[in-house]
Amino acid sequence: MGKRVYNFSAGPSMLPLSVLEQAATEITDYRGCGMSVMEMSHRSPVFDRIFQDAQEKFRRLLNVPDGYKILFLQGGATTQFSAVPLNLIGCTGTADYAVTGRFSDSARKEATKYGNISVAASSKDRGYTYIPTQSQLNLDSEASYFYYCANNTIYGTEWQYIPDTGPVPLVCDMSSDILTRPVDVSRYGIIFAGAQKNMAPAGLTVVVIREDLAGRELPITPLMLNYKTMIDKDSMFNTPPCWCIYILGLVLDWLDEQGGLAGMERTKRKKAQLLYDVIDHSRLFTCAVAPDSRSDMNVVFRTGDAALDAKFVGEASAAGMTNLKGHRSVGGMRASIYNAMPMEGVEKLVDFITAFDRAN
Ligand SMILES: Cc1ncc(COP(=O)(O)O)c(C=O)c1O
């Protein structure tokens, strides 16, 4: 095996090594069928098994109740920014958006093409460094849905509660924290996530949808963005992202071995706590995010001196810890510590931060 680094990329990001190794052993001949998963028909019995297994495992791990469909789609999370309003806003013509970062703001902007969108809360006033509380949400009881992004990948904030919106369906972008903790799916109308952080390679988007919400799409809804099309055809209206679905199945097995989502939640808390502790106790580094809104997935920090930040990123990379540069719109550093980042990677980063703090 070649050299592996601890890759702190915000996405696409690390996959469990055992998953990559298993995929490697099966890459030319999937379990004796004489071809790669990349080469097989999506309608073949072999692939059908892979597909059904991945769906069943996903349902069991996330505890998805009856009455909800799991869709394996393409187009990335961004395509859902359009699909959500196209499918849901026809109900009342209005929707509420909580704007807590770049991606929720993009989703809001996209939705304004299709209806009247209200900003139910925004944390822009303090540079998206906090999550609004329940009492700060300005809710419209007539909204077709309430939209929020559970974890703000760029700003390093994460909702620590599920908004209570009464009968208004909740729509959540969980791209950067899905499968990292148990979630009460029954509280949601739609959960969606791009796969490339915690689930699989880029190219797969998972949508969990309460079935009764489908079938109310605007007449202009493109065929491929219509949830009803995909529910009726079990995500197979056209060719699904077969390879990504296969890898997702392997990742779900790996998650099971880690103690499922309860196990993942314990580990991710420990990993994040280690990092926030060393940052908060350092001389050099600060984290601008309000302590009650800090993300367990994306830990943002900085020295306040752009040259020193660049030195940190460069020296960390030379030491085998890559992609620690913060998002270009924010600067500083960002350590993305999704499920597949091992504890040892975080411990190594903590030691590096401590040493850098002493030396500079
Ligand atoms: C929270 C969140 N939503 C949406 C996106 C966009 O995802 P995609 O590139 O799959 O469209 C990202 C990408 O990083 C993200 O972090």
Side-chain angles (χ1 to χ4, degrees):
M1 190 184 69
K3 167 180 104 145
R4 296 272 300 166
V5 294
Y6 290 116
N7 175 12
F8 290 90
S9 165
S13 28
M14 293 184 84
L15 284 164
L17 182 59
S18 60
V19 166
L20 296 175
E21 286 172 342
Q22 183 169 349
T25 66
E26 297 178 339
I27 198 159
T28 58
D29 175 11
Y30 176 74
R31 302 182 195 179
C33 75
M35 66 177 87
S36 172
V37 174
M38 282 187 264
E39 301 170 303
M40 64 181 62
S41 163
H42 59 293
R43 311 243 178 239
S44 64
V46 180
F47 185 74
D48 188 55
R49 198 61 257 147
I50 293 172
F51 185 94
Q52 298 304 335
D53 272 355
Q55 283 229 347
E56 280 158 27
K57 283 184 260 183
F58 188 94
R59 184 174 288 277
R60 186 169 40 76
L61 262 169
L62 198 62
N63 203 8
V64 178
D66 290 346
Y68 285 77
K69 283 277 186 205
I70 299 161
L71 304 176
F72 293 155
L73 309 178
Q74 306 201 40
T78 307
T79 299
Q80 298 306 312
F81 297 176
S82 320
V84 165
L86 280 163
N87 282 272
L88 299 191
I89 206 155
C91 228
T92 64
T94 65
D96 277 347
Y97 277 67
V99 177
T100 55
R102 240 279 290 285
F103 295 109
S104 46
D105 199 37
S106 298
R108 177 197 64 78
K109 277 197 200 113
E110 180 65 8
T112 57
K113 295 176 184 168
Y114 307 112
N116 290 323
I117 303 304
S118 302
V119 175
S122 167
S123 55
K124 195 175 180 187
D125 57 338
R126 282 194 267 138
Y128 297 125
T129 54
Y130 70 100
I131 297 294
T133 59
Q134 173 72 41
S135 61
Q136 288 172 320
L137 306 179
N138 195 358
L139 299 172
D140 170 9
S141 59
E142 292 295 302
S144 299
Y145 61 92
F146 175 97
Y147 181 104
Y148 77 110
C149 175
N151 184 77
N152 298 283
T153 321
I154 295 176
Y155 297 93
T157 61
E158 191 170 14
W159 290 66
Q160 308 295 340
Y161 68 99
I162 300 178
D164 182 356
T165 55
V168 173
L170 268 184
V171 174
C172 184
D173 175 358
M174 277 191 202
S175 291
S176 46
D177 64 356
I178 197 163
L179 301 184
T180 66
R181 64 197 148 86
V183 168
D184 182 357
V185 176
S186 71
R187 298 277 307 274
Y188 292 89
I190 293 179
I191 293 169
F192 68 87
Q196 62 270 25
K197 301 164 201 300
N198 276 306
M199 297 196 280
L204 166 68
T205 312
V206 178
V207 174
V208 179
I209 176 169
R210 216 178 70 205
E211 262 177 278
D212 63 292
L213 293 176
R216 310 175 189 184
E217 69 282 352
L218 298 180
I220 57 162
T221 305
L223 179 66
M224 286 297 293
L225 298 193
N226 186 341
Y227 292 133
K228 190 81 175 59
T229 312
M230 289 303 180
I231 289 174
D232 288 348
K233 297 288 180 196
D234 202 7
S235 306
M236 291 259 195
F237 184 82
N238 70 333
T239 317
C242 302
W243 175 257
C244 299
I245 293 167
Y246 156 67
I247 299 287
L248 172 64
L250 300 184
V251 168
L252 295 171
D253 287 339
W254 177 82
L255 279 172
D256 247 346
E257 290 158 19
Q258 314 304 307
L261 301 194
M264 258 8 271
E265 182 172 39
R266 282 191 295 275
T267 311
K268 68 141 188 166
R269 286 265 67 230
K270 263 189 229 151
K271 290 192 293 190
Q273 209 51 57
L274 279 175
L275 276 173
Y276 286 119
D277 277 351
V278 73
I279 292 161
D280 287 343
H281 290 104
S282 74
R283 223 173 14 90
L284 214 51
F285 300 98
T286 55
C287 169
V289 177
D292 64 359
S293 302
R294 289 177 171 180
S295 165
D296 285 346
M297 296 290 111
N298 313 95
V299 177
V300 295
F301 56 107
R302 62 176 66 235
T303 64
D305 171 348
L308 201 52
D309 287 349
K311 183 174 182 226
F312 179 93
V313 171
E315 289 183 5
S317 179
M321 291 165 283
T322 63
N323 288 313
L324 281 160
K325 193 166 183 287
H327 189 270
R328 59 193 176 281
S329 63
V330 176
M333 278 76 72
R334 168 176 55 176
S336 297
I337 48 172
Y338 301 121
N339 282 346
M341 170 59 67
M343 184 64 81
E344 299 77 54
V346 172
E347 285 166 353
K348 184 169 167 167
L349 180 58
V350 165
D351 290 345
F352 184 83
I353 291 173
T354 307
F356 194 92
D357 190 47
R358 278 203 205 106
N360 291 273

